[in-house]
C-alpha cells in the first residue's frame, strides 16, 4: 500500500510540473493555458513518453495507480463544471435575437451535418470504431461532440484580448452559453437513450433529473441564500457549502446515470450569487482547487490516447470531423451574424470564437468514452479535433484583427509597446475601433 501511495503522489507531482511548464509555454505562444496542459497530458502517455525505451509512462503511471488518479480527475472536473455553472451570467441569455439566432445556427447545423456524415461515411466510422458505429445513440453523441463550444475557454480568450463588451464578444459569449446548455441537455438524453440510467427507464431517469433540478432551484437555492446571508458565523462560510453542494449534486446525477459533470454544472447554476454576480469568496477558492487538480484530468486523457496507433482511416476520419466541426459552426455563425447586422469583421470574429473547444470538449468525450458510446481510437481522433480547433482560435483572431487595423498603431491609448499586453495577447485584436455593445448590439 505504501508503494502505491508513493506512486500516486509521484505521479501527481509529475503531472502538475509538466502541466505548469507546458501551460506557461502555451501562454507565451499566445495560446490558452489549457492547450499546453492537454499537450502535457498527451506527452505523458503512450503517445510520447510511452514510446521511449523501457516505457517510462507505464512505469510512472502503472495500472494500479490510474484509478486513484482518475478519481481525483473526476473531482476536478466536477469542481470545474461547478465554476462554469456559477460563472454563467443569466443576463447574457437576454442578449437578444442575434445571439439566439447565432446559437441556433451554430449548434443545429453541425449537429445535422454530423448525423449525415455518420450515415454517409459509415464505413469510415466502422473502420475506426467498429464496436459502436452502428449504435442508435452513436450519431447523436457525434452531433454533440462536433457542436460543443468551450464557454470557459472562450470567456478567457475574450477577456485576454480586450473583447469584453464589444459587439462580437457579447454575441459570441451569449451564443456559447445557449449552445452549451442545449448540448448538455442533448447529451443527457443520449446517455439515457443509451441505457446509462440502469436503475430506471430513461423517461423515469429524465423525470427524476428534472425533479432534482427543480429541487435545486426551488428549494436548495433560496434556503442557501438565507443561510449565507445570516450574520457572519463559522457555519456561514460559503466555501464548504459550495463544495458540499457540488459534490452532493454530482453524486445524485451520477446515481441517476447522467454522469457527475451534470451535477456539478447544475450546482453551479443553483449556487446563490451576490447582487447577481458570483461571490468572489466562493469563486476564487473553487477555481483554484479545480485548477490545481485539472492537470490530472488531462493526464488521464493522455494516458488513454495513443496518437501513434492511428492509421490512414483514423487520420482520414479526423479530416472529415474537422471539416464538419469547423465549417459546420463557422459558416452558419458568420452568415447569421451578417444577416443580423454585424459587419464582415465582427461576423468573422463571432464565427472564430464559437469554434473554440478545449476542456469542455474533453469532458464531453470523457463522458462518451466512460458511457461506452465511443472507443479508444475514435476518442483519440476527437481529442485531436479538440486540440486543433482550440489551437487555431488565437491565431485566427490575431489574423482578423491585424487585417482590420489598416495601418493604424498597434497599441491603444494608455498602452505602451512595453505593456503587459504583448504581441501574444494584443488587446486590440478584437474590438478595434471600439465597437462596444450598446442597445442594438445583439
Amino acid at each position: 500500500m505504501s508503494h502505491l501511495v508513493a506512486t500516486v503522489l509521484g505521479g501527481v507531482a509529475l503531472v502538475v510540473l509538466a502541466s505548469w511548464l507546458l501551460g506557461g509555454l502555451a501562454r507565451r505562444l499566445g495560446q490558452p493555458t489549457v492547450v499546453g496542459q492537454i499537450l502535457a497530458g498527451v506527452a505523458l502517455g503512450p503517445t510520447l513518453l510511452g514510446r521511449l525505451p523501457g516505457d517510462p509512462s507505464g512505469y510512472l503511471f502503472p495500472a494500479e495507480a490510474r484509478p486513484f488518479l482518475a478519481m481525483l480527475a473526476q473531482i476536478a472536473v466536477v469542481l470545474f463544471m461547478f465554476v462554469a455553472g456559477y460563472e454563467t451570467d443569466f443576463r447574457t441569455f437576454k442578449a437578444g435575437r442575434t445571439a439566439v439566432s447565432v446559437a441556433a445556427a451554430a449548434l443545429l447545423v453541425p449537429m445535422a451535418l454530423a448525423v449525415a456524415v455518420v450515415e454517409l461515411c459509415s464505413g469510415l466510422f466502422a473502420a475506426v470504431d467498429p464496436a459502436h458505429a452502428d449504435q442508435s445513440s452513436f450519431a447523436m453523441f457525434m452531433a454533440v461532440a462536433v457542436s460543443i463550444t468551450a464557454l470557459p475557454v472562450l470567456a478567457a480568450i475574450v477577456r485576454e484580448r480586450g473583447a469584453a463588451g464589444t459587439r462580437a464578444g457579447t454575441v459570441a459569449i451569449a451564443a456559447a452559453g445557449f449552445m452549451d446548455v442545449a448540448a448538455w441537455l442533448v447529451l443527457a438524453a443520449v446517455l439515457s437513450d443509451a441505457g446509462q440510467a440502469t436503475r430506471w427507464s430513461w423517461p423515469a431517469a429524465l423525470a427524476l433529473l428534472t425533479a432534482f433540478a427543480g429541487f435545486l432551484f426551488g428549494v436548495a437555492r433560496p434556503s442557501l441564500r438565507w443561510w449565507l446571508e445570516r450574520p457572519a458565523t463559522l457555519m456561514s462560510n460559503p466555501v464548504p457549502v459550495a463544495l458540499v453542494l457540488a459534490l452532493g449534486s454530482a453524486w445524485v446525477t451520477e446515481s441517476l446515470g447522467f454522469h457527475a459533470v451534470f451535477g456539478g454544472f447544475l450546482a453551479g447554476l443553483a449556487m446563490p450569487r451576490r447582487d447577481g454576480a458570483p461571490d468572489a469568496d466562493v469563486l476564487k477558492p473553487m477555481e483554484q482547487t479545480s485548477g490545481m487538480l485539472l492537470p490530472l484530468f488531462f493526464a488521464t486523457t493522455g494516458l488513454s490516447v495513443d496518437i501513434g496507433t492511428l492509421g490512414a482511416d483514423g487520420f482520414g476520419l479526423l479530416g472529415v470531423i474537422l471539416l464538419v466541426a469547423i465549417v459546420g459552426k463557422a459558416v452558419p455563425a458568420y452568415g447569421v451574424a451578417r444577416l443580423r447586422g454585424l459587419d464582415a469583421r465582427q461576423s468573422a470574429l463571432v464565427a472564430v470564437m464559437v469554434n473554440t473547444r478545449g476542456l469542455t470538449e474533453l469532458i464531453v468525450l470523457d463522458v462518451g468514452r466512460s458511457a461506452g458510446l465511443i472507443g479508444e481510437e475514435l476518442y483519440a481522433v476527437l481529442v485531436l479535433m479538440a486540440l486543433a480547433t482550440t489551437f487555431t482560435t488565437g491565431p485566427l483572431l490575431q489574423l482578423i484583427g491585424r487585417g482590420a487595423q489598416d495601418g493604424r498603431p498597434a497599441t491603444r491609448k494608455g498602452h505602451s509597446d512595453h505593456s503587459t499586453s504583448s504581441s501574444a495577447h494584443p488587446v486590440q485584436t478584437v474590438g478595434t475601433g471600439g465597437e462596444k455593445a450598446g442597445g442594438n448590439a445583439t
Side-chain angles (χ1 to χ4, degrees), residues 106-116 118 125 137-148 183 186-187 190 324-325 329 357 361 364 382 385:
L107 180 70
L108 296 178
V109 171
M111 277 187 164
L113 288 176
V115 173
V118 169
F125 279 95
S137 53
F138 177 78
M140 284 308 300
F141 175 79
M142 290 301 303
V144 174
V146 301
S147 61
I148 201 76
V186 173
L187 183 57
V190 171
V324 172
K329 286 182 78 72
R357 288 175 175 86
E361 176 73 24
V364 170
L382 293 173
M385 181 270 287

Side-chain angles (χ1 to χ4, degrees), residues 149-315:
T149 297
L151 179 57
V153 175
L154 173 58
I157 291 175
V158 167
R159 289 193 301 265
E160 290 171 2
R161 295 181 178 274
T166 64
R167 196 173 185 186
T170 301
V171 170
I173 289 291
F178 282 116
M179 286 188 286
D180 273 9
V181 171
W184 285 115
L185 291 174
V186 173
L187 183 57
V190 171
L191 291 176
S192 292
D193 188 50
Q196 294 306 303
T198 54
R199 294 180 60 185
W200 298 274
S201 64
W202 74 264
L206 282 176
L208 289 171
L209 180 65
T210 302
F212 176 64
F215 169 79
L216 283 178
F217 289 96
V219 178
R221 189 176 192 181
S223 300
L224 290 175
R225 180 179 289 112
W226 169 80
W227 179 268
L228 295 174
E229 288 178 352
R230 296 179 309 130
T233 65
L234 181 62
M235 297 298 291
S236 62
N237 185 346
V239 177
V241 173
L243 188 60
V244 170
L245 179 64
L247 297 179
S249 181
W251 167 65
V252 171
T253 56
E254 182 72 26
S255 300
L256 291 175
F258 290 100
H259 204 282
V261 298
F262 295 100
F265 187 68
L266 284 173
L269 292 175
M271 184 70 188
R273 291 157 174 76
R274 179 175 294 178
D275 299 325
D279 186 348
D281 291 337
V282 174
L283 187 61
K284 186 174 181 179
M286 296 293 279
E287 278 184 327
Q288 290 175 335
T289 304
S290 65
M292 286 188 295
L293 294 175
L294 272 175
L296 297 174
F297 175 73
F298 300 126
T300 56
T301 298
L303 291 172
S304 303
V305 172
D306 190 354
I307 297 173
T309 62
L310 293 180
D313 290 331
F315 283 103

Side-chain angles (χ1 to χ4, degrees), residues 51-85:
R51 297 190 178 277
L52 297 179
D55 186 13
S57 179
Y59 174 77
L60 293 169
F61 304 100
E64 61 269 20
R66 294 186 185 187
F68 296 94
L69 296 175
M71 184 59 64
L72 291 173
Q74 287 302 312
I75 293 174
V77 169
V78 168
L79 297 184
F80 171 83
M81 292 301 295
F82 173 88
V83 171

Side-chain angles (χ1 to χ4, degrees), residues 333-390:
Y334 178 87
V336 170
R338 290 287 284 149
L339 289 175
R340 297 299 304 175
L342 276 70
D343 63 31
R345 187 179 66 85
Q346 293 169 338
S347 299
L349 291 171
V350 170
V352 170
M353 284 191 271
V354 298
N355 246 312
T356 304
R357 288 175 175 86
L359 178 57
T360 307
E361 176 73 24
L362 293 185
I363 294 173
V364 170
L365 300 183
D366 184 67
V367 171
R369 184 187 57 171
S370 300
L373 293 171
I374 56 174
E376 296 298 333
E377 191 171 357
L378 181 55
Y379 177 73
V381 169
L382 293 173
V383 168
L384 287 178
M385 181 270 287
L387 270 171
T389 52
T390 306

Side-chain angles (χ1 to χ4, degrees), residues 114-140:
V115 173
V117 166
V118 169
E119 293 297 325
L120 295 174
C121 303
S122 57
L124 190 56
F125 279 95
V128 175
D129 196 0
H132 305 97
D134 60 347
Q135 292 180 354
S136 60
S137 53
F138 177 78
M140 284 308 300

